[in-house]
Amino acid sequence: MKFSELNEAQLLALAITAEEEDSHIYRDFADSLRAEFPATAELFEKMAAEEDGHRHRLTELYRRKFGEHIPFIRRQDVKGFVMHRPSWIVRNVQPQKARQEAALMEIQSRRFYEAAAHRTTDTAMRQLLNDLAQEEQRHEDKAEEITDTQAATGQLGQEREAARRFFVLRFVQPGLAGLMDGSVSTLAPLFAAAFATSQTTATFKVGLAASVGAGISMGFAEALSDDGKLSGRGAPWLRGLVCGLMTMIGGLGHTLPYLLRDFHTATSAAIVVVVLELAAISWIRKRYMDTPLVSAVFQVVVGGVLVFIAGWLIGSG
């Protein structure tokens, strides 16, 4: 069904359903954010209450004009109408992302009411739809005012710091552990095979096996180490996936050069990749783990060099 084909009763029914859906989405956001971001959760509770008020006013008008039965018309039933992603899909939504989603929803609602008001000839219905369009605009302004107030009291600053901490715990920390393990632990078997055989194909197979094996091992180890409920580190399967993938990436980085046929060229390229990997690890430790750059470089480089030497000695012996 096209929007232009809706009659007045169907327009009101669609508005009622849309307001109810928006209210549920805001409350889902609030519930998801309440434990870690109470200030933003309070904002969404207020916005949900506003949407409930809109729905009640629309329902009262519908009953006065068309009776008690309200047809169930949803956004997805109307061609060209913008649908919102179900809020239960994003249970770990971050405050900034939720605020952006809410701002988009308010803009879409305002445009809908403005378009619907042009479609009706009933004075009372047009007045209500225009009023709701203006209120949706005020919602955007009100959300900004609340945000400014929360920023002035320091609540938003605390939330941003908490969001950064959770990002580090749930993604950076397991990813960094995997990258370090994959980049360093696979050096010994890779270069031992390289210097023992001087064959790029055999070395590549050893590096591939070491990388995949380390990725699987680290992924399961991370997933089984902590369920995340007390530490706040998030879903264990997600951490395990991040850790496992980064471990494999760390090992494959200096393994892929051995796809080259020339042994000396492949080894030189692998060494360059190792240097880049260790530099990336040092930067991540400085950027997210607050480790001094000199200390980060020293720790990572010393470990990498020792493992490289071990692989070289074993392979050349």
Side-chain angles (χ1 to χ4, degrees):
M1 179 182 298
K2 296 180 180 179
F3 180 77
S4 59
E5 297 173 348
L6 297 176
N7 58 35
E8 292 181 343
Q10 291 169 334
L11 282 172
L12 277 180
L14 175 59
I16 292 169
T17 306
E19 290 288 356
E20 183 176 10
E21 180 184 3
D22 288 352
S23 175
H24 281 302
I25 290 175
Y26 290 150
R27 285 199 168 89
D28 285 343
F29 282 160
D31 182 66
S32 177
L33 296 165
R34 184 171 291 108
E36 299 165 356
F37 309 103
T40 300
E42 180 184 357
L43 167 63
F44 283 116
E45 286 288 0
K46 292 179 179 178
M47 295 179 71
E50 294 277 356
E51 302 303 320
D52 287 339
H54 291 179
R55 177 166 54 86
H56 292 318
R57 291 160 64 185
L58 289 164
T59 302
E60 290 174 3
L61 178 61
Y62 186 96
R63 286 172 174 164
R64 289 200 307 268
K65 290 182 60 63
F66 305 109
E68 290 295 323
H69 174 67
I70 303 176
F72 185 58
I73 304 178
R74 301 165 299 176
R75 286 182 168 99
Q76 53 264 44
D77 298 326
V78 181
K79 187 176 181 180
F81 206 98
V82 178
M83 291 181 291
H84 301 310
R85 181 171 54 165
S87 54
W88 53 264
I89 292 179
V90 284
R91 294 299 298 168
N92 291 322
V93 63
Q94 293 300 307
Q96 186 61 29
K97 178 64 176 177
R99 290 172 186 267
Q100 293 172 353
E101 184 76 14
L104 180 61
M105 289 168 60
E106 296 296 332
I107 292 172
Q108 292 170 351
S109 296
R110 173 171 53 81
R111 290 177 177 173
F112 164 70
Y113 285 128
E114 290 172 348
H118 287 299
R119 293 281 325 284
T120 180
T121 57
D122 182 84
T123 304
M125 183 172 170
R126 175 178 292 181
Q127 180 65 49
L128 176 59
L129 293 174
N130 280 325
D131 288 346
L132 292 179
Q134 294 176 10
E135 289 181 23
E136 295 294 349
Q137 176 64 55
R138 287 198 292 270
H139 280 185
E140 301 173 44
D141 299 335
K142 183 177 181 181
E144 292 179 1
E145 291 175 4
I146 294 175
T147 299
D148 292 340
T149 301
Q150 292 171 341
T153 60
Q155 290 176 299
L156 287 188
Q158 295 172 5
E159 289 193 352
R160 291 192 184 98
E161 179 58 30
R164 179 185 180 278
R165 184 172 64 252
F166 290 131
F167 175 73
V168 170
L169 287 174
R170 295 170 180 175
F171 296 99
V172 176
Q173 195 175 72
L176 180 61
L179 185 61
M180 291 178 64
D181 185 85
S183 298
V184 176
S185 69
T186 58
L187 289 178
L190 179 76
F191 286 107
F195 291 114
T197 65
S198 297
Q199 296 180 2
T200 57
T201 301
T203 302
F204 174 77
K205 290 181 179 180
V206 171
L208 180 62
S211 301
V212 173
I216 294 173
S217 176
M218 285 291 289
F220 275 102
E222 177 63 35
L224 297 175
S225 66
D226 177 14
D227 61 9
K229 293 180 179 179
L230 294 179
S231 64
R233 298 181 66 212
W237 63 267
L238 180 59
R239 295 196 330 270
L241 180 63
V242 171
C243 185
L245 285 176
M246 292 305 294
T247 302
M248 281 192 277
I249 290 173
L252 290 174
H254 45 257
T255 297
L256 291 177
Y258 283 97
L259 288 173
L260 300 173
R261 292 175 178 267
D262 184 75
F263 174 77
H264 295 291
T265 302
T267 301
S268 298
I271 293 174
V272 171
V273 172
V274 169
V275 172
L276 294 176
E277 289 172 346
L278 297 180
I281 292 171
S282 300
W283 181 84
I284 294 172
R285 284 171 58 84
K286 176 184 181 300
R287 172 69 175 80
Y288 293 102
M289 311 303 290
D290 297 326
T291 304
L293 183 59
V294 175
S295 176
V297 171
F298 178 79
Q299 294 169 6
V300 173
V301 170
V302 168
V305 169
L306 290 176
V307 175
F308 172 80
I309 292 174
W312 172 63
L313 291 175
I314 294 171
S316 301

